[in-house]
Amino acid sequence: MFLKNKTYNIYPLNVGSCNGCDIELGALFSSKYKLEKWGLEINENPKKADLIIITGPLTIKSKNFFQKALKSSNNLKGVIALGSCATSCNLFWDNYPVYGPPDKFTKINLYVLGCPPKPEAILEGINQILGLKIKKPKVVIPYGFRGRLKYDSKKCIGCLTCIRFCPAGTIIAKRTEKGLEMEYFYGKCTFCGMCAQHCPTGAITLTSDYKMIEKDKKKFVTKGKVKK
Ligand code: SF4
Ligand code: SF4
Ligand code: SF4
């Protein structure tokens, strides 16, 4: 039974992904989620795309392909940046073959964060862009899942161990006359959990919140001040 008469074509645009995000996108199109009932289809022809989902940090080699695909879409309703790489290059931010992030060259309508994001988060993003109300099955969060970062400045002693262990350059500490300003831009996070694992006080934790979806990636931030 089809709930919609219309077909929505989703074009996955991999511009240097490790394939982790693409696998989760593929999982979303498995029989578990029954997206075909809503007319949602993966279509490898960018000209027909209603929605483009970008994965990867945008490498130099994929630049031309990336620009051509975006220009050829005639019916586009939106572009999603999927995962930390497509949002902010993730831990590849200073790698020589990386040209991105993609939003340097095109408008992104929605950032769906994670490394990789769960299929249910991707579905939420698709719902938002296409104006659909597809329900997700019950979400199971596996033991040890690492989602949205939470920082508690009251517990922080300003030792900066988290910065030393972070591979993604996510954490900034600024010393001021009043104390220490800590900022975690987890839009660039690889969700490795090293900061939380090595924090001596539990001031930084990775929660089970997997729904990290924003129109503005600057909102993927947690911060606080450690007073002198
Ligand atoms: S965000 Fe993580 S899973 Fe996705 S492409 Fe980048 S490294 Fe791979
Ligand atoms: S989980 Fe922590 S250490 Fe790992 S990339 Fe994110 S901020 Fe850095
Ligand atoms: S969050 Fe933890 S590791 Fe980072 S500066 Fe504070 S106490 Fe140290």
Side-chain angles (χ1 to χ4, degrees):
M1 184 187 74
F2 281 83
L3 301 174
K4 292 266 165 185
N5 295 325
K6 191 178 167 4
T7 300
Y8 298 97
N9 294 306
I10 315 278
Y11 179 68
L13 180 53
N14 180 336
V15 286
S17 146
C18 78
N19 288 344
C21 287
D22 309 82
I23 288 168
E24 297 302 318
L25 182 60
L28 177 62
F29 281 84
S30 68
S31 56
K32 180 179 170 184
Y33 298 91
K34 301 185 174 59
L35 296 193
E36 70 284 354
K37 278 189 178 178
W38 292 81
L40 257 66
E41 281 176 9
I42 293 282
N43 192 320
E44 296 291 344
N45 183 354
K47 281 186 190 164
K48 295 191 174 169
D50 293 286
L51 171 63
I52 289 182
I53 300 187
I54 302 173
T55 59
L58 182 58
T59 56
I60 289 170
K61 269 202 165 183
S62 57
K63 188 186 127 220
N64 289 344
F65 168 69
F66 167 81
Q67 284 171 336
K68 209 170 145 194
L70 282 160
K71 270 186 203 153
S72 64
S73 304
N74 303 318
N75 195 29
L76 203 56
K77 293 177 184 61
V79 179
I80 288 179
L82 186 63
S84 300
C85 286
T87 300
S88 294
C89 298
N90 200 342
L91 72 171
F92 309 110
W93 61 280
D94 63 347
N95 279 26
Y96 71 90
V98 169
Y99 201 67
D103 60 9
K104 262 163 73 178
F105 305 98
T106 191
K107 180 175 163 48
I108 301 289
N109 301 91
L110 211 60
Y111 298 88
V112 179
L113 192 64
C115 183
K118 282 180 76 61
E120 291 82 3
I122 306 172
L123 180 56
E124 177 75 32
I126 292 175
N127 271 341
Q128 283 191 31
I129 295 278
L130 298 179
L132 301 173
K133 289 183 181 159
I134 306 172
K135 284 192 185 141
K136 52 183 180 295
K138 193 169 181 288
V139 182
V140 180
I141 307 290
Y143 175 74
F145 177 83
R146 297 185 293 264
R148 189 187 297 273
L149 262 77
K150 200 170 140 202
Y151 170 65
D152 182 353
S153 62
K154 288 191 196 105
K155 288 186 184 168
C156 182
I157 54 170
C159 65
L160 306 186
T161 306
C162 50
I163 293 187
R164 284 196 286 279
F165 279 96
C166 179
T170 301
I171 312 165
I172 296 170
K174 222 192 300 171
R175 288 208 185 276
T176 67
E177 283 180 3
K178 288 182 182 164
L180 190 68
E181 287 175 12
M182 298 290 292
E183 185 171 312
Y184 296 75
F185 173 55
Y186 58 87
K188 207 168 143 193
C189 187
T190 193
F191 298 91
C192 63
M194 293 296 274
C195 53
Q197 193 181 327
H198 292 279
C199 175
T201 63
I204 185 85
T205 46
L206 281 94
T207 67
S208 59
D209 181 6
Y210 70 91
K211 245 165 67 175
M212 296 175 278
I213 303 167
E214 295 289 354
K215 287 181 183 157
D216 180 357
K217 71 179 182 183
K218 287 187 194 136
K219 291 194 174 163
F220 295 129
V221 76
T222 177
K223 55 184 169 183
K225 285 181 188 158
V226 187
K227 289 184 188 147
K228 259 187 181 170

